[in-house]
């Protein structure tokens, strides 16, 4: 497929009508929601404008991403994710294996290669103080972040996180209206929505010695309801369409990529799809990206929405608990978590 044809296959949606303070039930909002519904019935990937992330905030954030990953390995390992009980921190090359990590909503397998991804990562989430009720209760994935010792890092990170979270909120409003629900349905569920913000560095393939089939990010589906991704425009992201074809996702300047995750596909009983996707390391260039993963509150029960069931239709999947599902997916893809589980289960 040509680059132009590939871009035509990925719809573009303007989230401006769903900005905080806007009238989400306006004619413009409803028209946008209808286009969104049509798009998501076909492919669970979009590029979006009207998202509220300014060029200045985004560029400052990507400068910090490059500064962090340019550090020596020993400095990055000072905030290793394995040091955090809360799944926050640095993950080195091949520490995560996403090939074939297809969620409960998609029983097809897309590969059996299990070598680690050719990327390095830095993971953050909501920065909970140690006296936060969920931290005190020992709820998994709730706790403080680990920040690198880079001047100005946290300020730049906080500005970007606030902006991209607003983009995610706009998208959640649009999704709710597209399903005929109150615009605040997804963001007003009981509990605290989990927002995991990740920085990723993919080194150029010509600097690597991959095993056969190994790539920057193996084919997988995302776990939560939606993902909002910014990248540097280098390319390499590919999505599998419902017909099985892999399509390059071209991201024009100023656009963000949005894709749906497993829990949204389950919520909608497959009306909307959580597409498998992957990243191929580009030749001769480093690639940087930053996804914000959105997952419903940890204790929330996810079951098919009544509005997504036709008369007499039964849900495709059993209900599940949001956070338990997320923890299970992390346990299956992160090597440090496998090591923790093995230590916990070993005799003596």
């Amino acid at each position: 497929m040509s680059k132009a044809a590939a871009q035509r296959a990925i719809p573009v949606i303007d989230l401006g009508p769903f900005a905080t303070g806007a009238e989400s039930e306006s004619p413009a909002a409803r028209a946008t929601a209808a286009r969104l519904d049509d798009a998501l019935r076909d492919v669970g990937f979009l590029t979006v404008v009207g998202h509220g992330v300014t060029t200045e905030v985004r560029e400052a954030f990507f400068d910090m991403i490059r500064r962090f990953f340019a550090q020596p390995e020993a400095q990055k390992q000072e905030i290793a994710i394995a040091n955090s009980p809360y799944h926050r921190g640095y993950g080195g090359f091949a520490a995560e294996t996403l090939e074939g990590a297809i969620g409960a909503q998609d029983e097809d397998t897309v590969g059996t290669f299990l070598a680690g991804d050719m990327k390095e990562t830095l993971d953050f989430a909501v920065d909970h103080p140690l006296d936060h009720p969920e931290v005190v209760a020992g709820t998994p994935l709730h706790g403080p972040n680990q920040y690198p010792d880079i001047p100005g890092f946290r300020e730049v990170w906080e500005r970007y996180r606030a902006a991209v979270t607003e983009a995610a909120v706009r998208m959640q409003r649009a999704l709710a209206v597209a399903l005929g629900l109150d615009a605040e349905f997804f963001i007003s569920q009981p509990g605290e929505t989990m927002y995991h913000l990740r920085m990723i560095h993919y080194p150029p393939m010509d600097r690597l010695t991959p095993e056969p089939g190994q790539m920057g990010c193996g084919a997988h589906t995302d776990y939560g309801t939606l993902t909002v991704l910014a990248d540097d425009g280098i390319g390499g992201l590919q999505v599998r369409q419902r017909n099985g074809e892999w399509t390059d996702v071209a991201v024009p300047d100023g656009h963000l990529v949005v894709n749906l995750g497993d829990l949204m596909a389950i919520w909608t009983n497959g009306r909307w799809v959580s597409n498998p996707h992957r990243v191929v390391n580009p030749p001769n260039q480093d690639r940087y990206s930053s996804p914000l993963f959105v997952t419903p509150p940890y204790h929330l029960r996810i079951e098919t929405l009544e509005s997504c069931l036709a008369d007499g239709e039964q849900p495709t999947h059993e209900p599940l608990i949001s956070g338990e599902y997320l923890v299970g997916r992390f346990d299956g893809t992160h090597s440090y978590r496998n090591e923790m589980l093995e230590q916990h289960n070993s005799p003596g």
Side-chain angles (χ1 to χ4, degrees):
M1 179 182 288
S2 69
K3 186 173 182 178
Q7 185 55 41
R8 285 197 299 272
I10 306 298
V12 180
I13 296 290
D14 183 355
L15 297 180
F18 297 97
T20 298
E23 177 49 66
S24 297
E25 304 294 335
S26 69
R30 291 190 175 279
T32 296
R35 291 195 299 273
L36 180 64
D37 183 35
D38 288 343
L40 294 179
R41 289 172 185 264
D42 180 49
V43 58
F45 264 71
L46 314 161
T47 66
V48 297
V49 295
H51 43 66
V53 180
T54 67
T55 299
E56 178 186 7
V57 166
R58 175 177 167 152
E59 288 182 350
F61 182 66
F62 270 77
D63 285 346
M64 280 297 181
I65 295 177
R66 296 183 182 94
R67 286 180 63 183
F68 173 77
F69 288 118
Q71 295 181 115
E73 180 72 10
Q75 283 183 258
K76 292 181 285 191
Q77 288 290 352
E78 290 176 358
I79 55 169
I81 196 168
N83 298 336
S84 168
Y86 317 111
H87 195 72
R88 290 145 160 83
Y90 172 71
F93 289 102
E96 183 179 28
T97 304
L98 288 176
E99 178 67 26
I102 304 301
Q105 53 76 42
D106 187 342
E107 300 301 329
D108 294 335
T109 57
V110 295
T112 56
F113 186 77
L114 296 177
D117 295 342
M118 301 303 290
K119 68 179 190 292
E120 54 180 341
T121 59
L122 181 58
D123 282 274
F124 303 93
V126 177
D127 199 355
H128 299 109
L130 293 176
D131 61 355
H132 186 282
E134 295 286 9
V135 182
V136 174
T139 304
L141 309 180
H142 289 71
N145 288 324
Q146 296 190 91
Y147 296 99
D149 186 16
I150 298 175
F153 182 96
R154 184 161 181 176
E155 292 78 9
V156 168
W157 176 87
E158 287 178 343
R159 285 196 295 272
Y160 180 79
R161 185 186 182 282
V164 76
T165 300
E166 165 65 15
V169 167
R170 295 182 187 192
M171 185 66 188
Q172 288 172 90
R173 291 191 183 112
L175 293 171
V177 174
L179 292 173
L181 304 169
D182 182 90
E184 305 299 304
F185 175 82
F186 291 116
I187 57 178
S188 64
Q189 293 297 311
E192 182 179 20
T193 299
M194 294 183 285
Y195 293 102
H196 287 85
L197 181 60
R198 164 174 271 198
M199 300 175 170
I200 310 177
H201 169 223
Y202 300 90
M205 188 58 75
D206 56 322
R207 290 211 315 254
L208 304 172
T209 54
E211 298 181 38
Q214 195 173 15
M215 61 182 63
C217 181
H220 65 286
T221 56
D222 286 346
Y223 313 151
T225 50
L226 66 106
T227 302
V228 181
L229 173 81
D231 77 0
D232 57 7
I234 295 299
L237 176 62
Q238 298 178 334
V239 57
R240 193 184 76 179
Q241 305 274 8
R242 282 195 169 185
N243 64 8
E245 178 182 358
W246 285 99
T247 299
D248 292 324
V249 180
V251 187
D253 288 345
H255 290 224
L256 299 175
V257 177
V258 174
N259 65 277
L260 299 186
D262 300 337
L263 296 185
M264 185 61 74
I266 293 170
W267 239 336
T268 62
N269 212 40
R271 169 175 170 169
W272 294 341
V273 62
S274 173
N275 290 82
H277 50 285
R278 65 190 184 188
V279 174
V280 179
N281 295 59
N284 307 314
Q285 297 182 83
D286 293 272
R287 179 181 187 268
Y288 299 90
S289 68
S290 182
L292 176 73
F293 301 107
V294 182
T295 308
Y298 189 95
H299 304 287
L300 190 68
R301 177 183 168 97
I302 306 295
E303 54 189 325
T304 300
L305 298 166
E306 289 292 332
S307 61
C308 293
L309 288 173
D311 289 343
E313 185 181 10
Q314 296 299 311
T316 304
H317 298 281
E318 293 295 321
L320 50 78
I321 302 301
S322 174
E324 293 175 1
Y325 180 73
L326 183 59
V327 168
R329 297 300 302 275
F330 285 160
D331 287 347
T333 55
H334 287 77
S335 59
Y336 92 93
R337 297 183 70 87
N338 290 332
E339 293 166 4
M340 289 169 53
L341 289 171
E342 289 173 2
Q343 292 172 8
H344 178 74
N345 294 327
S346 61

XYZ file of all heavy atoms in Angstrom, residues 41 178-181 185-186 189 264-271 301-317 319:
270
model
N -15.861 1.094 13.829
C -16.432 -0.189 13.438
C -15.538 -0.889 12.414
O -15.612 -2.118 12.240
C -17.832 -0.004 12.855
C -18.893 0.376 13.880
C -20.194 0.740 13.192
N -21.210 1.216 14.122
C -22.164 0.455 14.648
N -22.217 -0.838 14.362
N -23.062 0.972 15.473
N -20.684 8.775 20.960
C -20.831 7.872 19.819
C -21.634 6.631 20.174
O -22.278 6.026 19.312
C -19.453 7.472 19.296
N -21.617 6.239 21.455
C -22.379 5.073 21.901
C -23.762 5.447 22.434
O -24.480 4.583 22.955
C -21.595 4.338 22.995
C -20.304 3.638 22.548
C -19.549 3.112 23.754
C -20.605 2.512 21.566
N -24.123 6.728 22.338
C -25.426 7.162 22.831
C -25.480 7.299 24.335
O -26.569 7.305 24.918
N -24.325 7.447 24.985
C -24.250 7.588 26.428
C -24.028 9.047 26.809
O -23.722 9.884 25.947
C -23.083 6.747 26.967
C -23.102 5.253 26.618
C -21.771 4.614 26.979
C -24.255 4.553 27.322
N -19.707 9.636 30.696
C -19.870 8.255 31.162
C -18.538 7.609 31.521
O -18.375 7.071 32.624
C -20.576 7.415 30.096
C -20.690 5.952 30.447
C -21.707 5.505 31.275
C -19.765 5.031 29.963
C -21.800 4.154 31.621
C -19.855 3.683 30.302
C -20.878 3.249 31.129
N -17.575 7.630 30.624
C -16.324 6.911 30.866
C -15.456 7.590 31.919
O -14.761 6.924 32.684
C -15.538 6.739 29.563
C -16.195 5.792 28.592
C -16.642 6.255 27.358
C -16.374 4.462 28.909
C -17.250 5.390 26.455
C -16.994 3.590 28.017
C -17.435 4.058 26.779
N -16.769 7.141 35.934
C -16.928 5.844 36.588
C -16.364 5.908 38.011
O -15.411 6.648 38.269
C -16.219 4.757 35.791
C -16.846 4.467 34.438
C -18.266 3.932 34.556
O -18.546 3.012 35.318
N -19.184 4.546 33.808
N -12.163 -1.660 25.909
C -13.202 -0.986 25.135
C -13.857 -1.946 24.156
O -15.084 -1.900 23.937
C -12.628 0.224 24.385
C -13.680 1.048 23.658
S -14.941 1.749 24.760
C -14.003 3.075 25.540
N -13.066 -2.843 23.566
C -13.651 -3.838 22.676
C -14.606 -4.761 23.436
O -15.660 -5.150 22.920
C -12.541 -4.649 22.005
N -14.252 -5.098 24.671
C -15.131 -5.935 25.498
C -16.369 -5.152 25.905
O -17.504 -5.660 25.850
C -14.362 -6.457 26.725
C -13.263 -7.428 26.283
C -15.311 -7.132 27.717
C -12.305 -7.810 27.384
N -16.196 -3.907 26.328
C -17.319 -3.059 26.719
C -18.340 -2.958 25.586
O -19.550 -2.919 25.814
C -16.813 -1.660 27.089
C -17.147 -1.229 28.486
C -18.157 -1.672 29.284
C -16.440 -0.239 29.267
N -18.146 -1.022 30.499
C -17.107 -0.144 30.524
C -15.331 0.564 29.027
C -16.698 0.736 31.522
C -14.919 1.430 30.026
C -15.592 1.519 31.274
N -17.844 -2.869 24.338
C -18.730 -2.665 23.184
C -19.091 -3.978 22.484
O -19.713 -3.955 21.422
C -18.092 -1.704 22.173
O -16.869 -2.268 21.668
C -17.820 -0.349 22.796
N -18.706 -5.109 23.072
C -19.013 -6.431 22.517
C -18.496 -6.592 21.086
O -19.135 -7.223 20.243
C -20.526 -6.702 22.557
C -20.827 -8.186 22.753
O -20.152 -8.873 23.518
N -21.849 -8.678 22.060
N -17.344 -6.000 20.814
C -16.743 -6.129 19.499
C -17.269 -5.161 18.462
O -16.832 -5.204 17.299
N -18.196 -4.300 18.834
C -18.648 -3.263 17.895
C -17.461 -2.428 17.447
O -17.359 -2.069 16.268
C -19.696 -2.385 18.581
C -20.072 -1.110 17.848
C -21.203 -0.426 18.587
N -21.508 0.914 18.127
C -22.596 1.592 18.503
N -23.469 1.036 19.337
N -22.813 2.815 18.069
N -15.788 -3.192 37.434
C -16.230 -4.389 36.702
C -16.555 -3.979 35.263
O -17.378 -3.083 35.037
C -17.452 -4.986 37.398
C -18.079 -6.207 36.721
C -19.310 -6.604 37.514
N -20.146 -7.561 36.829
C -20.117 -8.881 37.033
N -19.267 -9.377 37.916
N -20.936 -9.691 36.391
N -15.925 -4.630 34.300
C -16.142 -4.331 32.881
C -17.024 -5.415 32.287
O -16.678 -6.596 32.295
C -14.801 -4.273 32.107
C -13.827 -3.292 32.771
C -15.058 -3.906 30.642
C -14.271 -1.857 32.746
N -18.183 -5.026 31.809
C -19.080 -5.960 31.145
C -19.791 -5.238 30.009
O -19.858 -4.006 29.971
C -20.093 -6.553 32.120
C -20.895 -5.553 32.902
C -21.721 -6.217 33.998
O -22.197 -7.353 33.771
O -21.881 -5.613 35.064
N -20.286 -5.993 29.076
C -20.844 -5.417 27.859
C -21.933 -4.397 28.163
O -22.827 -4.653 28.978
C -21.411 -6.527 26.968
O -20.359 -7.435 26.633
C -21.993 -5.946 25.694
N -21.844 -3.254 27.504
C -22.850 -2.208 27.648
C -24.156 -2.640 26.988
O -24.148 -3.212 25.893
C -22.352 -0.914 27.004
C -21.087 -0.304 27.615
C -20.508 0.754 26.683
C -21.387 0.294 28.981
N -25.250 -2.351 27.661
C -26.557 -2.733 27.117
C -26.776 -2.136 25.730
O -27.372 -2.771 24.856
C -27.674 -2.279 28.068
C -27.751 -3.058 29.378
C -28.177 -4.500 29.177
O -28.898 -4.773 28.187
O -27.793 -5.347 29.999
N -26.295 -0.911 25.516
C -26.503 -0.246 24.230
C -25.738 -0.913 23.095
O -25.982 -0.609 21.920
C -26.082 1.224 24.328
O -24.711 1.334 24.655
N -24.816 -1.826 23.439
C -24.024 -2.508 22.408
C -24.509 -3.939 22.172
O -23.824 -4.722 21.498
C -22.547 -2.517 22.800
S -21.801 -0.875 22.807
N -25.677 -4.282 22.716
C -26.270 -5.599 22.500
C -27.580 -5.455 21.721
O -28.469 -4.692 22.117
C -26.561 -6.288 23.835
C -25.363 -6.811 24.640
C -25.829 -7.315 26.007
C -24.644 -7.911 23.884
N -27.679 -6.178 20.621
C -28.940 -6.217 19.885
C -29.931 -7.100 20.647
O -29.553 -7.849 21.557
C -28.703 -6.771 18.483
N -31.201 -6.996 20.278
C -32.226 -7.811 20.935
C -31.852 -9.285 20.846
O -31.611 -9.816 19.757
C -33.582 -7.578 20.273
C -34.151 -6.202 20.569
O -33.661 -5.580 21.532
O -35.063 -5.762 19.849
N -31.780 -9.940 21.994
C -31.462 -11.358 22.034
C -29.987 -11.688 21.957
O -29.607 -12.857 22.117
N -29.147 -10.696 21.720
C -27.711 -10.961 21.615
C -27.095 -11.130 23.001
O -27.469 -10.438 23.949
C -27.021 -9.799 20.892
C -25.534 -10.030 20.630
C -24.870 -8.853 19.925
O -25.519 -7.783 19.822
O -23.717 -9.000 19.496
N -26.149 -12.054 23.108
C -25.465 -12.306 24.364
C -24.048 -11.729 24.325
O -23.423 -11.668 23.264
C -25.382 -13.817 24.631
C -26.732 -14.477 24.827
C -27.470 -13.912 26.020
O -26.917 -13.793 27.115
N -28.746 -13.554 25.817
N -23.522 -11.306 25.481
C -22.140 -10.816 25.514
C -21.160 -11.895 25.057
O -21.335 -13.085 25.341
C -21.926 -10.464 26.988
C -23.293 -10.245 27.542
C -24.188 -11.190 26.793
N -20.136 -11.463 24.361
C -19.121 -12.390 23.854
C -18.166 -12.820 24.950
O -17.628 -13.930 24.914
C -18.336 -11.724 22.712
O -19.246 -11.297 21.702
C -17.328 -12.684 22.102
N -17.941 -11.942 25.954
C -16.955 -12.215 26.992
C -17.584 -12.103 28.379
O -18.525 -11.337 28.592
C -15.781 -11.229 26.885
C -15.049 -11.333 25.585
N -14.133 -12.310 25.321
C -15.116 -10.570 24.459
C -13.662 -12.159 24.103
N -14.243 -11.116 23.555
N -17.692 -10.900 32.267
C -17.225 -9.680 32.937
C -15.854 -9.911 33.582
O -15.497 -11.036 33.947
C -18.304 -9.434 33.996
C -19.514 -10.148 33.493
C -19.001 -11.355 32.769
